[in-house]
């Protein structure tokens, strides 16, 4: 009799488990779809924007539920019977559904509002890992796919992975919203304030003052890692270019026509205001300085000592303590960069290559190029610089010994924007190693053995804008087909630059 009751109870439990298992399996399929199937949405479409903006509203709900179910599991292990399994099951079920909605809304936000950059991509992939691990943990909790002991081990393992991935993804989300140094900034504020040794009169109005304002207020959403609307505000040249709206951020001499000033002065509740609602806007002093800088021609050379406008000077005097402290931080970072550059140049001196700051990346990353006549340089030599791979943004290996296999190492240069491989032994089989580079815009494959099939790999390069194919044996029909499927990709049948 007791055996029959236990059997019936087990069958009832199994039947009631299947809906939750089904939801978890459906979530896994959707996450896999997000990962494998490239989608695009109409940028700025009000419906998609509305759905996407539910992401910050609901994302805290699954976070709390995941932490709650983890605490409940730990408590149940310490004191068996204190929490009924049905309560754990209910929280797991709601957390799986809530995670699916939060990740789905985030995906729509990612596609509809022109976010780009590795920080955004890593945040998205971290969310997919978190949701997938939670779903798998729930499946093992509900179904005894193997022995009870092994199933429990799998459940606890994936629950730990869920929490670890949640912490990482939440950190990236905080960095996206509040800046890369969101967590470390309060700690740094406890340390004694340090100031730049540069005299106030010698400070450059743009690089020392205006750039500091933009870095503090605007660069969180407009940097190399997260360029909302394809607008960068991290260099003087970028400010003079138009973003996706085709409106120029700064028009020298015309503050009223400069999109930067227009966005800054919009009402707080306006969708296009910079910074957006919920983030600290610019102070009146900062706005006055920005307007003055644009009115006087948006110069890079003007110093504070050259300014004669008394109201602006008064505003600058009020801002100077914070500006000097920020300038000290900039100098510290520059010293670290110069030290790394010195070490890299020492390594490069006897390897037939040259390493310099990449001016096209605002001098924040390194450029590598072959010396001529070229010395032997291949995959073995390239690996010696592996510790600095994330800090290269421009690489020219023209006439080097690199092969398709060596493209694996170049695929680890996550900041790479321009890559020259002309006159190498590249045949194209290694191009898939480069397809996940989030910032790669320009690729030179002139005078290589690239074949027609390998050219199709370029269709999956997310940010590629320009490719040089002079001197290859590619068929015109294949080039036309690629151009048809990627009209945004400029295919140039010229040799192209060596660097």
């Amino acid at each position: 009799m007791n055996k029959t009751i236990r059997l019936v109870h087990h069958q009832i439990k199994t039947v009631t488990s299947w809906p939750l298992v089904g939801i978890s399996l459906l979530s896994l399929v959707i996450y896999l779809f997000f990962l494998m199937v490239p989608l695009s949405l109409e940028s700025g479409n009000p419906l998609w924007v509305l759905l996407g903006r539910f992401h910050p509203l609901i994302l805290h709900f699954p976070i709390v539920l995941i932490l709650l179910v983890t605490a409940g599991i730990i408590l149940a292990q310490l004191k068996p019977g204190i929490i009924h399994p049905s309560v754990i099951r209910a929280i797991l079920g709601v957390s799986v559904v809530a995670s699916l909605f939060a990740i789905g809304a985030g995906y729509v936000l990612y596609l509809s509002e022109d976010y780009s950059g590795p920080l955004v991509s890593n945040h998205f992939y971290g969310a997919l890992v978190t949701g997938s691990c939670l779903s798998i943990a729930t499946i093992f909790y509900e179904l005894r796919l193997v022995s009870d002991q092994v199933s429990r081990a799998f459940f606890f393992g994936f629950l730990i992975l869920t929490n670890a991935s949640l912490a990482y993804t939440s950190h990236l989300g905080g960095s996206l919203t509040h800046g890369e140094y969101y967590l470390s900034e309060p700690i740094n504020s406890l340390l004694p304030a340090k100031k730049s040794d540069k005299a106030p009169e010698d400070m450059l109005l743009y690089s020392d003052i205006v750039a500091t304002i933009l870095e503090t207020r605007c660069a969180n959403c407009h940097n190399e890692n997260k360029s909302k609307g394809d607008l960068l505000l991290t260099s003087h040249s970028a400010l003079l270019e138009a973003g996706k709206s085709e409106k120029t951020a700064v028009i020298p001499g015309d503050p009223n026509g400069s999109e930067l000033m227009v966005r800054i002065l919009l009402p707080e509740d306006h969708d296009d205001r910079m910074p957006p609602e919920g983030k600290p806007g610019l102070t009146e002093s900062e706005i006055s300085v920005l307007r003055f800088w644009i009115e006087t021609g948006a110069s890079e050379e003007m110093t504070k000592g050259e300014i004669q406008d008394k109201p602006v000077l008064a505003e600058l005097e009020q801002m100077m303590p914070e500006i000097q402290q920020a300038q000290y931080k900039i100098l510290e970072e520059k010293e670290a960069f110069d030290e790394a550059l010195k070490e890299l140049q020492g390594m490069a001196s006897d390897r037939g290559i040259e390493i310099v700051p990449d001016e096209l990346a605002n001098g924040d990353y390194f450029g590598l190029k072959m010396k001529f006549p070229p010395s032997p340089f291949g995959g073995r030599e390239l690996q010696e610089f592996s510790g600095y791979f994330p800090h290269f943004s421009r690489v020219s290996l023209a006439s080097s010994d690199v092969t398709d296999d060596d493209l694996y190492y170049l695929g680890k240069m996550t900041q790479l924007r321009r890559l020259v491989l002309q006159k190498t032994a590249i045949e194209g089989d290694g191009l898939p190693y480069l397809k996940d580079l989030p910032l790669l815009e320009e690729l030179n494959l002139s005078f290589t053995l690239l074949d027609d099939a390998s050219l199709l790999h370029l269709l999956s390069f997310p940010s590629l804008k320009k490719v040089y194919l002079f001197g290859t044996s590619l068929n015109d029909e294949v080039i036309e087909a690629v151009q048809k499927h990627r009209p945004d990709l400029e295919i140039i049948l010229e040799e192209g630059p060596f660097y």
Side-chain angles (χ1 to χ4, degrees), residues 25 39 72 90 141 171 203 259 261 271 278 315 465 480 499:
L25 287 172
L39 295 178
Y141 186 83
H171 166 65
M203 282 189 169
E259 189 66 8
M261 292 300 300
D271 288 343
E315 303 283 10
K465 297 178 181 178
E480 290 175 4
Y499 182 61

Side-chain angles (χ1 to χ4, degrees), residues 359-379:
E359 297 303 327
L360 295 179
N362 201 30
D364 293 331
Y365 297 96
F366 302 113
L368 181 154
K369 58 182 177 181
M370 298 290 296
K371 291 181 180 179
F372 287 91
S375 301
F377 189 91

Side-chain angles (χ1 to χ4, degrees), residues 15-16 30 46 131 198 223 270 292 323 329 349 356 366 416 452:
V15 170
T16 57
I30 293 175
K198 183 184 286 189
N223 55 66
H270 197 287
F292 173 81
I323 294 294
K329 180 181 177 182
S349 60
V356 295
F366 302 113
L416 197 59
D452 291 335

Side-chain angles (χ1 to χ4, degrees), residues 213-450:
I213 295 172
L214 297 178
E215 174 71 24
T216 305
R217 305 297 188 185
C218 308
N220 288 351
C221 294
H222 302 283
N223 55 66
E224 289 82 0
N225 290 317
K226 177 190 176 185
S227 52
K228 189 174 181 182
D230 285 347
L231 176 62
L232 287 174
L233 299 179
T234 53
S235 70
H236 186 269
S237 59
L239 284 168
L240 303 181
E241 297 177 0
K244 211 155 206 176
S245 67
E246 299 183 354
K247 297 177 180 178
T248 305
V250 170
I251 301 175
D254 184 10
N256 294 330
S258 299
E259 189 66 8
L260 176 64
M261 292 300 300
V262 172
R263 297 288 184 98
I264 287 172
L265 295 174
L266 287 172
E268 289 188 15
D269 58 351
H270 197 287
D271 288 343
D272 294 331
R273 180 180 182 266
M274 288 175 50
E277 187 177 5
K279 294 186 179 181
L282 277 70
T283 65
E284 291 297 327
S285 296
E286 291 169 337
I287 293 173
S288 297
V289 170
L290 274 177
R291 177 178 289 278
F292 173 81
W293 174 66
I294 297 174
E295 280 179 343
T296 54
S299 170
E300 284 189 274
E301 285 77 30
M302 178 182 284
T303 64
K304 178 177 178 291
E306 297 172 342
I307 299 174
Q308 301 298 320
D309 190 301
K310 291 183 178 180
V312 172
L313 284 173
E315 303 283 10
L316 286 172
E317 288 300 327
Q318 186 177 355
M319 296 164 51
M320 199 49 60
E322 293 182 6
I323 294 294
Q324 285 183 308
Q325 187 172 349
Q327 183 67 19
Y328 183 87
K329 180 181 177 182
I330 293 171
L331 291 174
E332 278 190 324
E333 293 174 351
K334 186 179 185 303
E335 287 176 2
F337 182 88
D338 290 342
E339 185 177 342
L341 177 61
K342 185 177 180 181
E343 181 176 346
L344 280 169
Q345 289 176 335
M347 295 170 60
S349 60
D350 59 350
R351 289 170 176 80
I353 61 172
E354 184 179 356
I355 294 179
V356 295
D358 182 8
E359 297 303 327
L360 295 179
N362 201 30
D364 293 331
Y365 297 96
F366 302 113
L368 181 154
K369 58 182 177 181
M370 298 290 296
K371 291 181 180 179
F372 287 91
S375 301
F377 189 91
R380 179 179 298 178
E381 290 78 14
L382 189 61
Q383 289 181 63
E384 296 177 13
F385 298 88
S386 59
Y388 291 94
F389 278 175
H391 303 284
F392 284 101
S393 58
R394 193 178 186 190
V395 170
S396 173
L397 296 172
S399 301
S400 70
D401 303 320
V402 296
T403 65
D404 285 277
D405 290 339
D406 300 327
L407 299 188
Y408 170 78
Y409 305 110
L410 294 172
K412 295 180 179 295
M413 295 184 177
T414 52
Q415 294 292 331
L416 197 59
R417 288 166 170 77
R418 294 166 184 82
L419 177 60
V420 177
L421 296 171
Q422 61 180 263
K423 298 183 179 180
T424 62
I426 300 296
E427 298 180 7
D429 293 341
L431 288 178
Y433 290 128
L434 307 178
K435 70 179 180 64
D436 292 325
L437 290 175
L439 304 175
L440 184 62
E441 297 179 351
E442 186 175 315
L443 179 62
N444 192 327
L445 296 169
S446 295
F447 294 109
T448 63
L449 302 175
L450 190 68

Side-chain angles (χ1 to χ4, degrees), residues 38-44 48 105-115:
L39 295 178
S40 61
L41 298 174
E42 181 183 349
S43 177
W48 293 122
Y107 188 44
V108 172
L109 181 67
Y110 172 52
L111 294 177
S112 63
E113 294 213 47
D114 301 320
Y115 286 101

